[in-house]
Amino acid sequence: VVAVVTIAVDGESDVLPIFVGFEEAASIARGLDAVDIGRPLTHDLLLDVVEELGGRVDRVAISDIDDGTYIADLYLDTPRGGVVVDARPSDSLALAARTNADIELSTAVFDDGREPLAEYEHLDDIRTLMGP
């Protein structure tokens, strides 16, 4: 099952759609809603490890597209300084959802993939499909 995450940009009526798997979309939704299911899932675990090591998620950047695949970087502040980690957009968005980290889009990426929000308004919000 494929899901779509739509990323809005301030001042724009269009969105950037990023197609992800159902599980990835569910993890992003859990982060947005701060759902605690008792045991940490992968993104919760990674965030716990980063924080236990003294780091924090600073921001996510979706900076490029390569043959239809979006390229993202995860920016971390650590005791040793800033670190940039190559990551899938879905993983980066799941971590940003849990930390309220900024999401940056390059202008070229947005312009290349932008679509009217109306194209996606008829879709169900995954949070209504997941249940409690």
Side-chain angles (χ1 to χ4, degrees), residues 23 38 92 96 104:
E23 291 301 320
S92 297
E104 298 176 354

Side-chain angles (χ1 to χ4, degrees), residues 70-122:
Y70 289 104
I71 307 299
D73 291 310
L74 184 62
Y75 286 78
L76 304 173
D77 288 333
T78 75
R80 297 183 317 179
V83 175
V84 180
V85 179
D86 178 33
R88 297 184 311 167
S90 58
D91 293 329
S92 297
L93 294 172
L95 290 168
R98 285 163 172 75
T99 60
N100 293 318
D102 288 340
I103 300 168
E104 298 176 354
L105 290 176
S106 77
T107 302
V109 167
F110 182 70
D111 288 343
D112 185 59
R114 70 190 300 164
E115 292 188 19
L117 177 59
E119 296 285 323
Y120 301 96
E121 288 181 324
H122 69 282

